């Protein structure tokens, strides 16, 4: 008896999950049941798939994930801590059941199966550790890991401040901050993680510690982009920044303007005239309708963008224009209109150098053309698939703020110039497409990357100030891979600059000598 979705479980996730997840198990073990009973006995709310599958809290914990593939996993139980002490108690119990897998869930927006979900293990959901409390001097806010960015933005709005957050309100705080976090405010204040001043963390030995500049400073650094293998974060203390009315929202364009849009994106990123401005440019190809269109997310931290900032975009005919002056929280909320539940997703990440002038435009537009060609040739055999490609500017201004804030695990430097963080997104309807989706994601991104590296070898990115020789293999601008957009078989931490992977690995071993996290929960590993 495994709850309402039990019957479809094995078949539906089978192929995809078994590629990624040695932990996936189709049945709930006696030890998992015993761990759930022990958790329940602590008094912390624990709901089992066996007995509580009609409980609304259980249903939300088990099934409210962005990707429908993840929502098919059935935990032995979901446990709902309301304090760091509760999380510590949960870790103590889990240490007594060393063969029971577990998962930590925040917003459930990750796309890797078995990372914030578990098939047959203990699901620790942070949904009841989700408050946002501003400090007395209003310089920082304490944010619970179960919160979503829209809730954070709404809670801070009355004080005319906000934090460096996700760009869609529905995304969770926990995963986004631990993977670095790219925000509309990043060109002003760095990555989201650069703004964290303290992490309250439960370690593998159940100790509750503060990781900050003076307490566990190595762990503090590792949590800034190193992911979920170091501890369970129970509170983030994050710097606030003043915010008033902002301008922005979504514009949809016909695919026939692809080249003009991509040229405008390249110009915007090459010569960042105003750090208060930000964009995400996404091109979408829906196989069934053969529809090709672009959605561009615009942002300006001010009531109206000054002339010049978005001129090249404004010159392109638009089909739908939702950009307007509004509060920051309303903007995050409006951006959620693109956020569709009920589909299965894979996301893959790449970093491209922002090359100067014609080479830069050719790299970006050539990339789109090849992606589209792939979708039209290979994808056409797969009804129901949507292919999308996102261009996310990463100008040198962002690492400049990261470095000024003390640095993070990604290790980027402003001297390496301007980059583009690419995100390739594959959406489809049923488990039957899982194998194809994975093969296509691998194939198209590998093809694009080798084309880019061989065609544009030896050209330095705009604003590059290094003295190193730019070759196809060293310092060519194809790293780091952004963890928050990375697929389970990519190696983002290994791609971090400056040999940071080795340092992360050493810190992981030091705080978790028994391998509590690597052995028992999904995530990007340090092994
Ligand atoms: C529609 C959409 C929009 C996005 N927009 C942005 C964006 O603007 N900027 C950006 O940087 N990224 C963005 N992302 C990527 C996003 O940051 C990642 O998917 C992130 O992992 C989601 O975090 P979550 O808490 O919602 O996810 P979850 O799936 O709940 O968690 C993701 C990972 O973090 C771990 N984790 C979560 N909480 C904790 C905790 N408290 N302690 C330890 N580990 C924890 C989980 O175990 C899991 O491995 C977006 C993704 C989507 C799908
Ligand atoms: C769980 O946390 C609550 C506070 O939110 C506390 O009252 C309770 O004693 C804790 N239980 C355990 C077992 O830690
Ligand atoms: C926030 O800004 C508004 C509009 O400028 C102002 O009326 C209000 O007093 C401010 N609130 C705080 C707490 O500063
Ligand atoms: C850092 O951790 C120490 C030890 O727990 C704590 O006393 C201090 O307040 C923390 N600093 C910040 C900025 O939270
Ligand atoms: C885009 O830029 C390229 C290279 O500069 C140019 O050849 C092309 O005409 C531009 N296309 C559009 C539509 O702006
Ligand atoms: C970059 O911006 C500056 C100031 O806004 C301008 O003078 C310069 O011409 C721009 N350069 C390019 C290549 O667009
Ligand atoms: C614009 O496109 C997005 C998909 O990227 C879609 O979700 C949204 O509904 C479109 N907006 C309008 C107003 O049609
Ligand atoms: C990759 O896709 C191309 C078509 O675009 C196809 O010819 C090739 O067989 C695919 N390769 C793999 C390994 O799937
Ligand atoms: C728990 O582990 C941390 C990190 O290794 C260590 O500093 C701390 O002393 C340990 N706590 C206990 C109670 O052993």
């Amino acid at each position: 008896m495994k709850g309402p979705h039990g019957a479809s479980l094995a078949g539906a996730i089978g192929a995809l999950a078994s590629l990624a997840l040695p932990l996936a198990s189709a049945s709930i073990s006696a030890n998992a049941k015993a761990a759930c009973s022990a958790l329940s006995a602590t008094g912390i709310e624990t709901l089992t798939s066996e007995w509580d599958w009609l409980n609304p809290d259980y249903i939300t914990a088990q099934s409210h994930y962005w990707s429908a593939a993840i929502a098919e996993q059935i935990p032995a139980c979901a446990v709902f801590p309301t304090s760091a002490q509760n999380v510590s108690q949960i870790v103590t119990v889990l240490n007594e059941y060393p063969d029971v897998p577990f998962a930590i869930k925040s917003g459930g927006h990750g796309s890797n199966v078995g990372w914030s979900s578990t098939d047959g293990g203990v699901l620790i959901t942070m949904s009841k550790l989700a408050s946002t409390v501003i400090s007395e001097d209003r310089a920082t806010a304490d944010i619970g890991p179960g919160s979503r960015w829209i809730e954070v933005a709404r809670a801070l709005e009355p004080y005319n401040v906000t934090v460096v957050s996700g760009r869609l309100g529905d995304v969770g705080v926990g995963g986004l901050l631990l993977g670095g976090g790219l925000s509309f405010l990043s060109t002003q204040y760095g990555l989201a993680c650069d703004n964290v001043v303290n992490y309250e963390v439960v370690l593998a030995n159940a100790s509750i510690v503060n990781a900050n500049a003076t307490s566990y400073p190595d762990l503090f650094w590792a949590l800034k982009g190193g992911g979920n293998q170091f501890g369970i974060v129970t509170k983030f203390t994050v710097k606030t920044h003043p915010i008033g009315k902002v301008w922005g929202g979504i514009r949809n364009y016909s695919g026939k303007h692809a080249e003009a849009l991509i040229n405008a994106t390249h110009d915007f990123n090459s010569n960042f005239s105003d750090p208060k401005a930000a964009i995400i440019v996404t091109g979408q190809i829906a196989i069934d309708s053969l529809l090709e269109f672009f959605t561009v997310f615009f942002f300006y931290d001010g009531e109206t963008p000054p002339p010049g900032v978005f001129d090249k975009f404004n010159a392109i005919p638009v089909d739908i224009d939702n950009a307007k002056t509004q509060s920051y929280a309303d903007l995050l909320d409006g951006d959620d209109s693109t956020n569709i539940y009920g589909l299965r997703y894979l996301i893959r990440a790449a970093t491209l150098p922002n090359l100067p002038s014609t080479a830069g435009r050719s790299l970006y537009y050539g990339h789109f053309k090849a992606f589209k060609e792939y979708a039209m040739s290979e994808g056409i055999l797969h009804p129901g698939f949507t292919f999308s490609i996102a261009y996310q500017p990463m100008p040198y201004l962002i690492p400049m703020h990261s470095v000024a804030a003390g640095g993070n695990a990604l290790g980027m430097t402003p001297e390496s110039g301007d980059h583009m963080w690419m995100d390739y997104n594959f959406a489809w309807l049923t488990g039957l497409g899982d194998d194809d989706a994975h093969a296509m994601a691998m194939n198209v991104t590998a093809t694009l990357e080798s084309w880019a590296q061989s065609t544009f070898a030896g050209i330095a990115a705009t604003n590059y100030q290094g003295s190193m020789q730019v070759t196809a293999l060293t310092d060519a601008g194809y790293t780091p891979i952004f963890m928050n957009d990375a697929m389970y078989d990519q190696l983002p931490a290994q791609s971090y600059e400056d040999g940071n992977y080795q340092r992360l690995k050493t810190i992981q071993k030091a705080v978790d000598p028994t391998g509590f996290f690597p052995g028992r929960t999904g995530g990007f590993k340090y092994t």
Side-chain angles (χ1 to χ4, degrees):
M1 174 71 203
K2 299 203 294 72
H5 308 298
S8 63
L9 185 63
I13 55 165
L16 180 62
S18 64
L19 276 174
L21 300 167
L23 294 177
S25 107
S27 64
I28 292 166
S29 68
N31 283 348
K33 288 187 187 181
C36 292
S37 301
L39 287 169
S40 188
T42 64
I44 304 165
E45 185 181 10
T46 304
L47 300 173
T48 67
S49 51
E50 188 171 13
W51 301 107
D52 303 304
W53 51 278
L54 290 175
N55 181 307
D57 280 354
Y58 170 80
I59 292 171
T60 301
Q62 181 273 320
S63 68
H64 191 77
Y65 288 94
W66 182 61
S67 172
I70 301 180
E72 282 173 355
Q73 295 219 302
I74 309 294
C77 56
V79 56
F80 298 77
T82 59
S83 62
Q85 288 69 28
N86 285 183
V87 174
S88 166
Q89 189 64 48
I90 292 165
V91 170
T92 300
V93 170
L94 287 171
N95 273 312
E96 289 160 13
Y97 296 89
D99 63 350
V100 176
F102 67 89
I104 309 149
K105 178 183 182 187
S106 168
H109 248 278
S111 50
N112 294 316
V113 179
W115 292 25
S116 58
S117 63
T118 160
D119 203 18
V122 171
L123 176 62
I124 306 168
T125 174
M126 295 297 176
S127 58
K128 298 193 175 175
L129 253 176
S131 62
T132 296
V133 179
I134 194 164
S135 64
E136 215 158 297
D137 66 3
R138 299 185 181 178
T140 60
D142 286 348
I143 305 175
S147 200
R148 294 176 192 279
W149 292 110
I150 185 63
E151 296 160 356
V152 175
R154 290 263 181 251
L156 296 175
E157 198 166 52
Y159 304 99
N160 298 333
V161 299
T162 199
V163 294
V164 179
S165 74
R167 297 162 296 182
L168 271 64
D170 190 56
V171 176
V173 163
L176 184 136
L177 281 175
L178 289 169
L182 181 57
S183 172
F184 289 135
L185 299 170
S186 288
T187 29
Q188 291 185 81
Y189 309 120
L191 293 181
C193 69
D194 295 321
N195 291 273
V196 180
V197 297
N198 187 61
Y199 299 82
E200 182 188 75
V201 198
V202 176
L203 300 178
N205 63 8
S207 288
I208 304 169
V209 306
N210 282 317
N212 60 50
T214 54
S215 163
Y216 290 88
D218 282 348
L219 177 60
F220 179 58
W221 173 83
L223 290 168
K224 291 173 181 264
N228 74 342
Q229 298 288 305
F230 298 87
I232 303 176
V233 179
T234 50
K235 186 171 74 188
F236 298 92
T237 303
V238 182
K239 276 183 214 159
T240 61
H241 299 285
I243 196 98
K245 287 265 191 284
V246 302
W247 178 89
I250 293 164
R251 283 179 184 167
N252 286 356
Y253 299 85
S254 154
K256 67 180 179 223
H257 302 302
E259 190 177 14
L261 284 163
I262 289 171
N263 281 356
T265 307
H266 177 258
D267 289 0
F268 180 85
N269 195 26
S270 305
N271 197 13
F272 225 90
S273 60
D274 192 333
K276 293 183 174 187
I279 52 169
I280 316 172
V281 177
T282 65
Q284 327 229 8
I285 298 136
I287 294 303
D288 285 359
S289 50
L290 288 180
L291 205 61
E292 179 198 340
F293 66 101
F294 274 72
T295 297
V296 182
F297 297 75
F298 288 93
F299 178 82
Y300 191 81
D301 184 4
E303 290 199 17
T304 342
V309 177
F310 296 119
D311 282 1
K312 293 217 164 85
F313 288 98
N314 293 341
I316 301 168
V318 61
D319 286 346
I320 288 151
D321 185 357
N322 287 330
K324 55 176 182 269
T325 305
Q326 53 188 325
S327 76
Y328 184 69
D330 286 345
L331 180 122
L332 298 191
D333 206 21
D335 284 356
D336 267 332
S337 66
T338 57
N339 181 27
I340 300 164
Y341 277 72
L343 297 173
R344 305 165 92 84
Y345 293 99
L346 279 180
I347 297 183
R348 219 172 159 80
T351 292
L352 299 177
N354 188 75
L355 303 179
S357 58
T358 315
R361 289 174 166 200
S362 312
L363 170 58
Y364 292 158
Y365 186 53
H367 222 76
F368 175 74
K369 275 196 304 192
F371 186 76
K372 177 179 158 186
E373 219 165 85
Y374 186 86
M376 294 302 200
S377 62
E378 197 69 18
I380 205 84
L381 307 171
H382 302 286
F385 266 84
T386 301
F387 290 72
S388 74
I389 182 170
Y391 295 77
Q392 309 177 94
M394 176 49 56
Y396 77 93
L397 294 166
I398 295 178
M400 186 183 86
H401 292 298
S402 302
V403 169
N408 58 42
L410 284 71
M412 294 186 294
T413 62
E415 291 77 16
S416 69
D418 304 316
H419 294 83
M420 192 67 84
W421 277 3
M422 304 298 298
D423 160 336
Y424 313 91
N425 183 313
F426 306 83
W428 68 103
L429 284 166
T430 76
L432 297 173
D434 288 358
D435 281 351
D436 290 346
H438 179 251
M440 289 193 289
M442 294 280 286
N443 189 344
V444 67
T445 55
T447 308
L448 286 177
E449 198 155 336
S450 65
W451 169 77
Q453 294 195 13
S454 58
T455 312
F456 300 96
I459 308 173
T462 50
N463 288 309
Y464 178 82
Q465 290 166 23
S467 54
M468 285 165 283
Q469 205 184 345
V470 179
T471 72
L473 295 175
T474 59
D475 200 35
Y478 294 90
T479 54
I481 294 167
F482 183 33
M483 184 177 282
N484 282 350
D485 291 338
M487 209 160 98
Y488 54 86
D489 57 0
Q490 293 190 280
L491 300 172
Q494 284 84 339
S495 80
Y496 288 176
E497 314 291 320
D498 222 12
N500 284 355
Y501 177 71
Q502 282 310 322
R503 186 176 168 202
L504 287 162
K505 196 170 161 175
T506 305
I507 297 168
Q508 202 288 325
K509 291 265 181 307
V511 294
D512 180 11
T514 64
F516 180 73
F517 291 101
R520 299 176 60 181
T521 196
F524 293 108
K525 304 287 179 172
Y526 294 91
T527 47

